[in-house]
Amino acid sequence: MKVSKYINKLALINIVKKKQRTLLSLIAISLSVAIIFTSLTLFTNVFSLTKIPNKETTGEYHYILNSNEGEPLTRHQTTYDYDLNTYSTYQEQALALHQLTPLEEESPLPIIIEAGTLPNANDEIVLPNQLGLKVGDTLSLDLIETNTASNGIYQVDSNVFNQSSSKTATYKVVGVYEATELFAQLTASAAPVYVMDNNTSTNRNVIIRDDQVQRADSLTMISEIFHTDTQEIQMNNSAISYDTVKNYLKDTTTLLVMFAAIVLIAVMMSVISLKNVFIITDKDRRKEFGLLKSIGATPKDINHLLKIELSALGLLGAFLGIVFGILVSYFVLKMFIKQLALPFDWSMIMNPYTLISSFLIGFGLMLILGHHSYSRYIHSSAIDDLKDVAYNYDPPRQRQSYMSKSFSWKMFLIYNGRLKKQTRNIFQSFALLILTTVIFFAVFLSNFSYKNETASVNYDFSIENSIPMNTATPINLEIYDELYQAIDDRELIPESMDIKRQVLGPYIQYPVDAINQDNFKTYKSNARVSYVENTDENGIMYGQIQTATLLLDHHQLDKLKPYVVAGSLDDLDNGGMVVVLRKGSKVAEGLFDQLKVGDRLYMTESLETLYENVAAIALVDEGAEGLYCDYDEYPRIVAMSSDYGIKYQQYFTVKEAAKIVLSNKATVTKATLAIDNAISDSGAKDTYTYDNVLLRAQENKVVSFMIESLLYPLFFLLFVISVLNINNVLVGNVHLKRGDISIMKSVGMTSYQLYKLFVFEYLEGYINASALVTAIFIPICILESKLKLSAAFQLGQNILLTLIVSIMIFDILLVAVLVLISLNNIRRVQAIENMKDVV
């Protein structure tokens, strides 16, 4: 009988009949290909979104609009493009004369200057490159002047070019530009040419680059500033998507490396899963080949059988994996790009390179690993293949150390290492599971902290002056005049506003006679600074009491007036202090019940020149609201008028900070605009910063959601593969040693002792895998922390917690369940099984 005639049919029968082997192989390949395909798809899409756009086609601006009203914020880099209402034609090309006015050196342009510069004189001009002119050429244009031709952003009524010219002008070409894609679309009716013109135009196009374009209020903020409907604002989506992702994730290197790591882990898991399938079926396979050889099959026939069977499984597994990967990629990408306000396109998923690469990896793994595992049986003899050998053990270790009297332990030391391939499989499976879990929990904990970093913040905005070390920092009182005006104009509607200008450095000295000695004992028992007494030049004894020193503006002083119990606040601009004490407190009101208006308070321990007299005493109830200052933070305060106390900046540093809580969170855009204008109009943008907590919290949630939507589905698939892989490895381990288990039971070894034997083996693999992963993970965290690649990814933020949760809790519980399931198979093995002579 010629066996080669039936090889193809036999291969297909094997695939159908050997269900367990086929199913395990297909699961291993398809899941791995799904992860590989999804990871590569996300990698290519994130990379394409974050790669630097081609400036010559997209430009660096985000928005173009037409508006003659409004001025940009400090976060906006802006260029004005004025339509001069003057038109002409050149070689049948319609032209519109414009003037570019960049507000800053780095302001974006809607065009790319290929050669030359922008015009600096009235007889200079910059032309589009399609006119074919060069820098240095001379151009004469017949000009048509009209105020009715312009219609929207760069739109020109074509009828204007039928009118007669009013004058002729000659220009020298000083620059040639190429239009960006969006600009070219908008200027299709007439190509702009740029000149210098001293006349004021009333038709202003605005080109904006928003440094905070990722914020949800980016478009609406521009709409409010320039009084333009959002539908009328043209968006440069390529630049917006790049800068949005860049601003959100800071640097996507960590994310892209994560995708690459997931692909690598998936490939390694697939390798181990397939190797385990081949190891488990090794004995059956060998006997199959032996039977075929005994009836005349040649090595060529065996090789052909393997190739057909492995190729069919590889093709089917890779195809199923890609179908599953497409479904996963679709849902993941839809969630991701929704946050970027970009349209979904199937080309994002159906990338031919990704499809082919994933397919070839899955197919290649099946074919190469399978052929490698069984290649030694292609040329072996039929007699060798049909021998009833349970397993070809590796040589035992030469030296053994018996540190325990346990029989199971001694057996483990003798037995361990003889099945080196399977031992290595167990170790590798554990290592990949632990590595996956450690990375997942590192991302999860870092992401959780990032998402909730504003959870404990009890305000919506904060404004601070920059404080260089050891330098008196000037404060700008005009900012708060602007903010109070915004409150009056209902542009800023705070529920509360806490403004503190704290003078850092004074040690307030009080007359000892003004201190209540009974309550002084209570103060002293809780004081954080030592109590010091000194005598001034008048022989009056003074004691140092811990007190905050503040500067209050006129609005704060007006709000404080109802609480004044002695003296007056009316003349604080000329000097003096108001002592603000917490009403009813033993260490505040009770401590200074003898203090009087006119008493002198020194600001240094030396009791020399720096002093002020008490002009007023105020008692403020705890929890008092609407004072523009939270007095609850300090029980004892001495305050001066800001206009007067500002002189102390030459001696001390003044830290100024304001915290604002909005009465309605929906007004955040309007409030942001008011605060930004206050800082800009007061000229303090170089020394003051403000934090929009509401928008930062929103950004953090968006970033966290992006990371979750991109990575968590992949981690879930990795966990599924890991669990299936380890389960197959553990069950296969028992299957491989079934004959040995039967022998050990036949000589009196109990199931409990066998359990311990296997547990020792698994513990060794788990401990070694944990040590390896820890040795890999810690340097990666240190490197990532040093490079500071991303704001959202801080893998080393919780190294200890990550390792504890992953290795000592989650993974060990998961592995314990799988081990218990596999050990249950030991109980089913009977001692008599080894006596059966069954092929």
Side-chain angles (χ1 to χ4, degrees):
M1 183 177 69
K2 195 170 182 180
V3 178
S4 57
K5 292 173 56 179
Y6 303 97
I7 288 296
N8 293 344
K9 185 176 181 180
L10 184 60
L12 297 177
I13 291 174
N14 276 345
I15 293 173
V16 175
K17 294 292 185 181
K18 303 294 183 180
K19 294 180 179 178
Q20 184 181 18
R21 184 169 72 198
T22 299
L23 184 62
L24 290 175
S25 300
L26 288 178
I27 289 174
I29 287 295
S30 59
L31 286 179
S32 298
V33 169
I35 293 181
I36 293 168
F37 176 81
T38 305
S39 299
L40 290 176
T41 299
L42 297 180
F43 181 98
T44 54
N45 279 280
V46 171
F47 180 75
S48 65
L49 286 172
T50 57
K51 69 180 181 181
I52 299 175
N54 185 348
K55 295 179 182 179
E56 295 187 2
T57 57
T58 63
E60 295 183 306
Y61 57 91
H62 297 142
Y63 307 104
I64 296 180
L65 59 122
N66 183 271
S67 174
N68 294 315
E69 302 178 55
E71 296 297 327
L73 303 180
T74 55
R75 74 189 221 191
H76 296 144
Q77 299 176 32
T78 308
T79 296
Y80 293 145
D81 187 345
Y82 292 99
D83 186 339
L84 301 177
N85 299 317
T86 305
Y87 309 93
S88 185
T89 57
Y90 179 79
Q91 295 180 352
E92 299 184 354
Q93 170 67 56
L95 304 177
L97 273 65
H98 284 242
Q99 177 174 310
L100 276 177
T101 306
L103 299 190
E104 297 176 359
E105 187 177 339
E106 297 182 355
S107 294
L109 299 178
I111 57 176
I112 305 298
I113 302 294
E114 285 187 344
T117 62
L118 291 176
N120 293 310
N122 291 341
D123 62 344
E124 296 179 345
I125 193 169
V126 173
L127 302 172
N129 53 8
Q130 66 259 34
L131 296 186
L133 297 174
K134 305 185 298 296
V135 173
D137 290 347
T138 300
L139 175 68
S140 181
L141 294 176
D142 295 326
L143 304 180
I144 303 169
E145 296 180 331
T146 177
N147 292 323
T148 60
S150 180
N151 181 23
I153 306 175
Y154 294 109
Q155 298 302 304
V156 178
D157 187 348
S158 60
N159 293 324
V160 71
F161 299 101
N162 297 324
Q163 299 179 22
S164 300
S165 62
S166 57
K167 63 178 181 180
T168 301
T170 302
Y171 298 97
K172 179 182 178 182
V173 179
V174 295
V176 177
Y177 76 82
E178 180 177 353
T180 58
E181 289 179 350
L182 177 60
F183 185 77
Q185 295 171 15
L186 296 174
T187 59
S189 58
V193 294
Y194 291 98
V195 298
M196 284 287 291
D197 195 297
N198 296 325
N199 297 325
T200 303
S201 172
T202 57
N203 189 4
R204 184 182 71 173
N205 297 305
V206 185
I207 296 92
I208 298 175
R209 176 184 175 84
D210 186 358
D211 291 337
Q212 299 173 14
V213 69
Q214 79 281 4
R215 290 192 162 179
D217 71 337
S218 178
L219 184 61
T220 55
M221 180 75 74
I222 290 172
S223 175
E224 285 208 19
I225 293 170
F226 294 99
H227 307 287
T228 303
D229 192 282
T230 55
Q231 301 297 322
E232 301 298 323
I233 300 174
Q234 298 295 321
M235 302 171 64
N236 187 0
N237 288 320
S238 297
I240 290 174
S241 65
Y242 166 73
D243 288 321
T244 296
V245 176
K246 179 183 176 184
N247 291 352
Y248 269 139
L249 300 178
K250 307 305 178 189
D251 190 320
T252 56
T253 304
T254 305
L255 185 60
L256 295 176
V257 169
M258 199 77 70
F259 288 140
I262 288 174
V263 169
L264 182 61
I265 292 173
V267 170
M268 294 173 68
M269 284 183 176
S270 180
V271 169
I272 294 172
S273 296
L274 290 173
K275 283 171 61 180
N276 186 62
V277 172
F278 300 144
I279 290 173
I280 292 173
T281 59
D282 183 89
K283 182 180 176 182
D284 295 335
R285 269 291 193 187
R286 188 174 184 183
K287 289 186 177 181
E288 286 176 20
F289 296 155
L291 288 172
L292 289 172
K293 290 172 185 176
S294 68
I295 58 174
T298 64
K300 184 178 179 181
D301 294 330
I302 301 298
N303 189 37
H304 186 57
L305 173 71
L306 272 176
K307 286 182 177 178
I308 292 176
E309 195 172 326
L310 293 171
S311 296
L313 289 173
L315 289 171
L316 182 58
F319 174 76
L320 293 175
I322 286 178
V323 171
F324 186 43
I326 289 173
L327 292 175
V328 175
S329 299
Y330 172 77
F331 289 108
V332 171
L333 270 179
K334 284 280 283 187
M335 288 189 295
F336 175 63
I337 66 171
K338 183 179 179 182
Q339 297 296 326
L340 304 179
L342 294 176
F344 173 79
D345 192 283
W346 276 102
S347 62
M348 294 177 172
I349 294 177
M350 307 305 289
N351 184 314
Y353 297 107
T354 303
L355 288 167
I356 294 171
S357 300
S358 304
F359 188 88
L360 290 179
I361 290 174
F363 176 75
L365 283 175
M366 188 71 194
L367 189 62
I368 294 170
L369 287 174
H371 197 272
H372 174 74
S373 299
Y374 300 131
S375 60
R376 63 185 181 277
Y377 301 138
I378 294 176
H379 297 282
S380 60
S381 68
I383 295 175
D384 290 336
D385 292 341
L386 291 172
K387 285 180 182 178
D388 189 19
V389 179
Y391 194 87
N392 291 324
Y393 288 105
D394 295 302
R397 295 174 180 172
Q398 297 301 314
R399 299 179 64 185
Q400 302 290 348
S401 175
Y402 303 102
M403 298 182 65
S404 170
K405 295 181 180 180
S406 165
F407 178 67
S408 298
W409 179 255
K410 292 177 182 178
M411 286 298 297
F412 162 70
L413 293 177
I414 295 171
Y415 194 58
N416 186 42
R418 299 191 67 191
L419 284 171
K420 290 182 180 178
K421 290 182 180 178
Q422 186 63 3
T423 300
R424 191 161 53 245
N425 253 10
I426 293 170
F427 163 73
Q428 291 170 349
S429 299
F430 285 158
L432 290 177
L433 171 65
I434 295 170
L435 181 60
T436 301
T437 310
V438 165
I439 295 175
F440 168 73
F441 276 106
V443 172
F444 174 80
L445 291 173
S446 172
N447 203 33
F448 181 81
S449 299
Y450 185 71
K451 181 167 59 176
N452 294 281
E453 70 175 358
T454 60
S456 59
V457 179
N458 58 359
Y459 52 85
D460 299 328
F461 292 89
S462 68
I463 305 172
E464 294 184 357
N465 64 330
S466 305
I467 302 180
M469 294 301 293
N470 302 319
T471 304
T473 305
I475 61 174
N476 191 320
L477 300 178
E478 293 181 18
I479 290 180
Y480 296 96
D481 291 336
E482 296 284 346
L483 287 180
Y484 290 131
Q485 185 61 50
I487 293 173
D488 292 340
D489 295 340
R490 305 292 291 174
E491 295 175 357
L492 177 63
I493 308 173
E495 179 182 303
S496 66
M497 185 162 69
D498 174 23
I499 305 170
K500 286 192 176 69
R501 302 174 192 85
Q502 186 170 3
V503 184
L504 305 177
Y507 296 95
I508 304 301
Q509 312 290 321
Y510 293 88
V512 173
D513 292 344
I515 301 173
N516 184 300
Q517 295 303 313
D518 292 334
N519 291 328
F520 175 71
K521 296 176 182 177
T522 304
Y523 159 79
K524 196 171 182 180
S525 63
N526 297 300
R528 288 178 293 177
V529 296
S530 58
Y531 176 73
V532 179
E533 289 187 350
N534 288 301
T535 303
D536 72 352
E537 59 184 7
N538 299 319
I540 301 174
M541 182 72 70
Y542 280 81
Q544 178 180 315
I545 301 293
Q546 185 178 356
T547 307
T549 305
L550 303 181
L551 303 181
L552 302 179
D553 59 47
H554 289 164
H555 286 78
Q556 291 172 308
L557 291 173
D558 288 341
K559 295 290 185 181
L560 187 61
K561 284 181 179 180
Y563 299 91
V564 173
V565 296
S568 171
L569 304 179
D570 295 336
D571 201 34
L572 282 184
D573 282 350
N574 296 319
M577 288 180 167
V578 55
V579 180
V580 184
L581 304 172
R582 186 178 299 165
K583 189 174 182 179
S585 172
K586 289 185 177 181
V587 295
E589 179 187 6
L591 186 62
F592 297 116
D593 57 1
Q594 302 300 315
L595 187 66
K596 303 183 297 298
V597 172
D599 284 349
R600 177 180 293 185
L601 303 183
Y602 287 95
M603 302 175 73
T604 61
E605 293 180 2
S606 61
L607 304 183
E608 293 178 354
T609 56
L610 299 182
Y611 63 86
E612 295 290 339
N613 293 330
V614 177
I617 300 173
L619 300 179
V620 178
D621 298 301
E622 188 172 2
E625 298 179 351
L627 303 180
Y628 293 140
C629 182
D630 182 9
Y631 294 103
D632 287 349
E633 190 172 344
Y634 309 105
R636 301 167 300 277
I637 297 171
V638 295
M640 294 174 281
S641 164
S642 296
D643 290 339
Y644 173 77
I646 199 169
K647 70 175 187 178
Y648 283 103
Q649 286 188 123
Q650 61 183 304
Y651 306 108
F652 308 109
T653 295
V654 179
K655 178 182 178 182
E656 186 172 35
K659 297 176 182 177
I660 302 172
V661 179
L662 297 180
S663 59
N664 183 357
K665 310 302 181 188
T667 62
V668 59
T669 300
K670 199 172 184 180
T672 302
L673 183 56
I675 294 171
D676 197 287
N677 284 335
I679 294 175
S680 178
D681 293 346
S682 61
K685 64 180 181 180
D686 295 330
T687 55
Y688 277 72
T689 59
Y690 79 93
D691 180 19
N692 189 330
V693 178
L694 288 176
L695 287 181
R696 182 157 58 90
Q698 186 181 39
E699 284 179 26
N700 289 0
K701 288 180 180 178
V702 171
V703 174
S704 298
F705 177 79
M706 289 167 63
I707 292 172
E708 290 167 2
S709 63
L710 288 172
L711 293 180
Y712 286 8
L714 298 179
F715 279 117
F716 176 75
L717 291 176
L718 284 180
F719 279 127
V720 171
I721 294 181
S722 295
V723 171
L724 292 175
N725 186 30
I726 290 177
N727 181 68
N728 293 339
V729 169
L730 298 183
V731 172
N733 192 40
V734 176
H735 175 79
L736 282 175
K737 299 171 182 175
R738 194 176 186 90
D740 297 330
I741 293 170
S742 178
I743 292 173
M744 285 186 275
K745 281 191 174 184
S746 68
V747 296
M749 198 168 184
T750 65
S751 294
Y752 176 72
Q753 290 174 317
L754 287 168
Y755 292 162
K756 289 173 65 177
L757 172 63
F758 277 80
V759 168
F760 288 149
E761 181 181 8
Y762 299 148
L763 273 177
E764 181 195 38
Y766 188 85
I767 292 171
N768 290 339
S770 300
L772 175 65
V773 171
T774 301
I776 294 172
F777 179 66
I778 291 178
I780 290 176
C781 289
I782 294 173
L783 181 63
E784 191 264 350
S785 177
K786 293 289 184 183
L787 296 178
K788 296 181 179 178
L789 296 177
S790 171
F793 281 114
Q794 296 178 18
L795 302 182
Q797 187 178 34
N798 299 289
I799 293 180
L800 184 60
L801 181 60
T802 298
L803 293 175
I804 290 175
V805 171
S806 304
I807 297 175
M808 301 181 67
I809 299 177
F810 183 84
D811 282 338
I812 202 164
L813 291 175
L814 181 60
V815 169
V817 172
L818 296 175
V819 167
L820 289 175
I821 294 172
S822 69
L823 292 180
N824 189 49
N825 295 325
I826 296 176
R827 182 176 53 82
R828 298 180 184 148
V829 179
Q830 303 297 321
I832 197 173
E833 283 189 19
N834 194 57
M835 309 301 177
K836 296 178 182 178
D837 189 15
V838 179
V839 175

